[in-house]
Structures are given as C-alpha cells and as structure tokens.
C-alpha cells in the first residue's frame, strides 16, 4: 500500500485562502463612526421603548435600556409640568369601582372618567334576560378637557393619567382622581356616591395651575356618548331617544331628531342624553355660558343597526375663577321615570315627553297621579283597564251631549232637506232659513262638535302618557310580556314596510273595536249633518274613514307599546257600550221631536255671538259672490 505524503502545494493553497479571508474580514470591519452611530440608534430605540411603556401604563421598574432620568426628560418635553403624573405608580391602565344599591361605576386612571356605568336593578331587552342595563361600556363614551398650557402645549385629559384616592365619609363614597403637575398642583375630578341614589356628585377643581395653564381662554369640556340599545323595539326606542337640555330661566328644549342636528344654547343648566327609558344627565350648579350640542341618528337599517341608537356630543366651556377651575356638577345614571326625576327637584322630569300646553297638564295632574294610585294596588294590565274605565265614565257627560246634539240634528234633517229643495237656487236664502230653523228649534249645530273637541286633548295626552310610562317597562299582561313594547304573537318570515316583521294582537283588537264604533256612529252622523252646498260630502268621507281608521291603527300601532293599544281597545269598547246605552235607554227621539216642535212655538231665542258672526260671514260671502257675477 502506498504511503500518504504531505503535498506542499496543498499547504501553500490553504495558507493563501486563510490569508485572503483574514484580509476580507479586516476590510469589512465597521469604522468607529459606524459603530458609534449604531450604538446611538440602539439607545434611541431603547429610550423610545421606555417612554412608550410609561405612556401605556407599564411600570418604570420594567427593565429597559435607559434610565428613569432620561425617560422623565422625554416626558417633560412631551407633557411639560404634567409629566409628573406620568411618572407616578398610578400611571397605568387601572380602574377603581364604586357602587351602591342602584348603580355600579368604574373609573379609569387614564382620563379619570367613568368607563362603565351599570344599573343594577334593570335588565335590557326583556325580563329574565340576565343582561343588566349598561349605559356606559366598551368605550362608547368620552370625557375630555383640553388643557392649553402657558408654554403653548395642547393636552387632552383623556390621554393622561390620574391618581385615584378612595375614601368614605359616613355612608358616602368619595373618589378623588387627580391629574398632577406637582405634589400640590393638580386638576381633580371628585366623584361622590351616596347610598340608594342614581345621582353622583361630580366636582372639577384645580389647585396651583394658574401659572401652568393658559387661563386667558376657558377650558373646553368635551363629552360624547353612543347610546346602547336596551329595549326590544329598535324603532320605538329610536323615536324616544333625544338630546334634551335646560337653559336660561328654566327654558327647555331638545336637539332635533335626525342626522347632524345641532343646537348652541347659552346658560345651560343640564344636558340630558336621554334614551327611551334610561338617561345619562350632566348637571351643573354654575350654568355653562355657551354650548354646542349635537345629535346623530345611528339607526339606518333596523335589521343591521342593532347595537347603537344615537350619537350625542356636547362641548361646553369651563370658565376660570382667579386662575383656577371650580365647578360643582352631578351625573345622573338612571331610569327616565317621571317620579324619580321629579324627586330631585331640578326640573329633570322635563325630559319626559308628556306633551305641551294642556296635553302636558292633563298628563301631570290627571293621568300620572291617577294611574300611579291604581298601579300601586293592582297589576299594571288591570290598572290600565280600570284607568280607562274611569276616564271614559268621567267623559261620558260630554259623550252624551255630543250624541244628544246629533239626535236633535237627525230630527231636524227632513225640514233642513225641505229648505234645501225650496231654496235650491238661492243658497244665501237657504242658509238664512236654515239658521232661523236652528234658532227656533233651540238647536246649536256646533253643539256636537264642541264635546268632541273637549275629548281630543285627553286622547292626545294618552298618546304621550303611555309610551313614556316607565312603570309599564317589562310588566306583563295576558300574552304581552312587556306592556311598554309590542305584544308579538307571531313572527313573520318577511318584513312589511311601515308594519314590521311581526304581528301584535292588541292593535288588531283595537282596530276591530274602532271599526264597530265608527260603523255604529257613522249613520247617525250622516243623518245629523246634511250636506251643505260647497262643502265636501261627509257621508262619503265617513264611509272611507270606517275602513281607513282601523287600517291606520293596525299599521302604526303594530310596533307601539302594548299598553297604549290596550288602552285604545278598552276605550273603544267602553265608548260603544256608552253609546248603546245612551241611544237605546236615555235619548228618546220622539221626546226630542216633541220638544223641538214645542220650541218652535215659543219666541225664538236671541242669536248667540257665534251664530250671529257665522250669519254675517255668510251674508258677506254671498254679497261678494253677487258682486262678482255683475262684473
């Protein structure tokens, strides 16, 4: 076997290759300048990371590639004096919870405002859902003060960290949230929660900031809220969700319903982001000199937009006093209940839409006390029925007057028709003789209209009262599981425009009742009121209304609260019963006829002011007509 020998050429080759590699490595070695630049870059990244960790609530004790002093310097550049708060242990994503028997509030260190507000005694959508009403959650709200500093910075409190301090004074819970610019320099939000109360004290106070902040301009307080849906009917809740406010000398108004609606009232005392049955209200002891209030509709398609109802925004200035801010305010998180709101004696009950003028008076002084009394003793469905009976019995004398007038007109109809034929070619004479007949017989043609007009305010008041009655929320009766919402008995596999995708039973019953009521009375009304020349044919109109009214009831009430439909159903049933009794057992047409004939023999009564004025108008119209013919 041949012995292996060392090849000199191979050795020389390896040496040359090794030398070339050493030379390449030496040539590619970074210069001192490059090394220094890279080192500086790494330090800058480490420093930025440290600042970010502080600003994102990570403790400064977390190992970072920089010093606390360097981080503080950077924060100083970013935040000025308020860098002090960012270096405190409280500068982290942390929360403090305060609660009583009614509400539970969660306040964040970052921003210092309420990020969760839960009502502990109310469920959303339906009874037994297990989901409590949450007015604030998942970043649906924002509270911010824009701080303009003396060194030309513009900071937002929603991005800065407050230091919480929780104390108790007796049964009251006090949470102080301080945005610090030094040990004794701060902006404070103070929350005060008392037992068994929906109202939360909220003070904004500053100390030692007169040289840190630019006090030449007021602070801008920005508050917004996207209202969560809490009820079964989206359309119904949307209709009654509004931004309300009180301003100047107890004046009250609301921002219009729709897209991008805005109002700019002055001297505002409270701002209410009102949902159908719950409200979030900001009150102030010192009225806001100016304000910008905006409302935006979020429900475009009810099948898709099922989470939020409205977007509300408020912007108000907070004025400085001696270089400091000192505002005593309050938050209300609770039900939109008339009695609860009125108990605070701050005009908050004005946010309940009870109607203006006489309609509101009827609701405040008749419907609310009466229904409140009844519902305190009996079930709500039964209370509505008894309430309706009482109202209709109280109105029965007016119903009687109306029917009596119709009966008198019915008796006179043959004679009025005869006059119409006799003076067919002389309308003026016909009207004069007809008025003489009315006067001689002691009949007022307007007597039937006046009772009906008196009943109208009570009917309209009921349309305002029942949708606003918080007491009916999630109260069941018969097949209706919630008298404040629609009483669905069947779900449709399709959506009918204006009607919906379900069938409610109480509106059907109400429609049937109103059909028979109109059928029962339309004949008498047609007989009582002969057609006047130049006037529409009331007989034809009544024939159409017999069918139009029930259809309208079916369409518009299908998504309304069952309580209102129940009221209308019982109301029409009772009216049918009252009319039946009056027609068959009280009003005697023969007696009326005899009385009218007796009245004709007497000296005619002096014309009333209305009749006299009506005759004058008719004479003037006829004279003008004759004058026009001559031209």
């Amino acid at each position: 076997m041949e012995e292996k020998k060392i090849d000199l050429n191979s050795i020389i080759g390896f040496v040359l290759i090794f030398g070339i590699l050493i030379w390449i490595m030496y040539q590619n070695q970074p210069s001192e300048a490059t090394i220094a630049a890279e080192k500086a870059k790494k330090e800058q990244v480490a420093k930025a990371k440290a600042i970010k960790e502080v600003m994102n609530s990570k403790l400064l004790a977390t190992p970072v590639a920089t010093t606390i002093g360097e981080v503080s310097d950077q924060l100083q550049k970013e935040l000025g004096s308020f860098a002090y708060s960012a270096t405190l242990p409280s500068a982290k994503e942390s929360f403090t919870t305060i609660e009583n028997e009614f509400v539970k509030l969660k306040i964040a260190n970052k921003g210092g405002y309420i990020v969760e507000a839960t009502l502990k005694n109310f469920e959303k959508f339906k009874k037994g859902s297990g989901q409590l009403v949450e007015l604030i959650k998942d970043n649906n709200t924002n509270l911010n003060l824009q701080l303009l500093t003396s060194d030309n910075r513009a900071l937002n409190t929603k991005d800065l960290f407050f230091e919480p301090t929780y104390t108790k004074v007796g049964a009251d819970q006090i949470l102080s949230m301080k945005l610090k610019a030094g040990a004794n320099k701060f902006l404070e939000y103070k929350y005060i929660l008392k037992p068994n109360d929906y109202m939360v004290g909220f003070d904004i106070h500053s100390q030692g900031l007169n040289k840190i902040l630019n006090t030449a301009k007021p602070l801008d307080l920005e508050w917004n809220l996207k209202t969560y849906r809490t009820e079964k009917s989206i359309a119904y809740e949307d209709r009654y969700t509004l931004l309300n406010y009180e301003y100047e000398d107890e004046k009250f108004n609301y921002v219009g319903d729709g897209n991008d609606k805005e109002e700019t009232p002055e001297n505002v005392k409270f701002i209410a982001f009102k949902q159908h049955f719950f409200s979030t209200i900001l009150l102030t002891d010192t009225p806001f000199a100016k304000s910008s209030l905006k409302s935006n509709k979020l429900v475009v398609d009810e099948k898709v937009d099922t989470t939020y109802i409205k977007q509300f925004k408020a912007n108000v200035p907070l004025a400085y006093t001696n270089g400091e801010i000192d505002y005593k305010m309050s938050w209300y998180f609770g039900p939109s209940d008339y009695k609860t709101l009125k108990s605070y004696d701050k005009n908050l009950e004005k946010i309940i839409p009870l109607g203006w003028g006489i309609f509101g008076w009827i609701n405040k002084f008749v419907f609310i006390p009466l229904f409140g009394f009844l519902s305190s003793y009996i079930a709500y469905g039964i209370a509505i029925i008894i309430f309706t009976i009482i109202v209709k019995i109280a109105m029965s004398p007016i119903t009687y007057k109306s029917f009596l007038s119709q009966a008198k007109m019915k008796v006179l109809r043959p004679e009025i028709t005869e006059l119409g034929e006799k003076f067919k070619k002389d309308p003026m004479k016909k009207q004069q003789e007809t008025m003489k007949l009315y006067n001689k017989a002691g009949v007022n043609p307007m007597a039937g209209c006046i009772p009906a007009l008196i009943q109208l305010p009570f009917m309209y008041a009921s349309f305002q009262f029942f949708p606003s009655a918080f007491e009916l929320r999630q109260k069941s009766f018969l097949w209706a599981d919630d008298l404040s919402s629609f009483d669905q008995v069947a779900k449709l596999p399709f959506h009918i425009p204006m009607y919906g995708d379900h069938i409610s039973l109480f509106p059907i019953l109400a429609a049937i009742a109103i059909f028979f009521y109109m059928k029962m009375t339309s004949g008498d009304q047609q007989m009582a009121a002969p057609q006047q020349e130049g006037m529409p044919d009331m007989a034809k109109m009544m024939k159409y209304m017999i069918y139009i009214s029930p259809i309208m009831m079916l369409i518009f009430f299908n998504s309304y609260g069952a309580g209102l439909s129940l009221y209308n159903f019982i109301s029409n049933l009772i009216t049918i019963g009252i009319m039946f009794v009056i027609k068959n057992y009280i009003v005697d047409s023969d007696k009326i006829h005899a009385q009218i004939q007796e009245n004709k023999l007497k000296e005619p009564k002096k014309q009333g002011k209305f009749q006299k004025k009506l005759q004058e108008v008719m004479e003037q119209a006829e004279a003008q007509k004759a004058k026009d013919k001559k031209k």
Side-chain angles (χ1 to χ4, degrees), residues 201-258:
F202 179 61
D203 299 343
I204 298 182
H205 167 72
S206 69
Q207 179 178 300
L209 300 183
N210 54 331
K211 292 182 179 179
I212 295 173
L213 297 178
N214 180 358
T215 59
K217 295 181 179 180
L219 280 180
D220 279 335
L221 185 151
E222 303 162 353
W223 173 39
N224 62 70
L225 178 72
K226 287 171 72 174
T227 63
Y228 276 107
R229 173 190 166 207
T230 62
E231 308 305 315
K232 183 166 64 173
S233 173
I234 298 173
Y236 206 39
E237 185 171 5
D238 180 45
R239 189 178 294 118
Y240 293 99
T241 297
L242 293 169
L243 196 165
N244 301 271
Y245 58 91
E246 185 186 55
Y247 66 110
E248 294 181 359
D249 297 326
E250 298 189 353
K251 294 180 181 177
F252 180 79
N253 208 341
Y254 64 91
V255 178
D257 186 23

Side-chain angles (χ1 to χ4, degrees), residues 493-504:
F494 47 83
H495 184 274
I496 302 174
M498 297 178 67
Y499 185 75
D501 58 359
H502 63 274
I503 296 174
S504 299

Side-chain angles (χ1 to χ4, degrees), residues 71-118:
V71 174
S72 297
D73 290 341
Q74 185 65 29
L75 288 173
Q76 188 72 32
K77 291 178 184 178
E78 295 288 331
L79 306 177
S81 298
F82 290 102
Y84 183 89
S85 276
T87 61
L88 297 174
S90 56
K92 58 182 178 179
E93 292 283 358
S94 187
F95 307 92
T96 305
T97 299
I98 57 175
E99 60 182 304
N100 61 13
E101 295 79 3
F102 292 169
V103 298
K104 180 179 180 181
L105 306 175
K106 186 177 178 181
I107 298 95
N109 286 12
K110 189 175 184 179
Y113 60 90
I114 298 169
V115 293
E116 288 185 14
T118 304

Side-chain angles (χ1 to χ4, degrees), residues 60-76:
L60 288 174
T62 303
V64 290
T66 187
T67 65
I68 292 177
E70 288 173 329
V71 174
S72 297
D73 290 341
Q74 185 65 29
L75 288 173
Q76 188 72 32

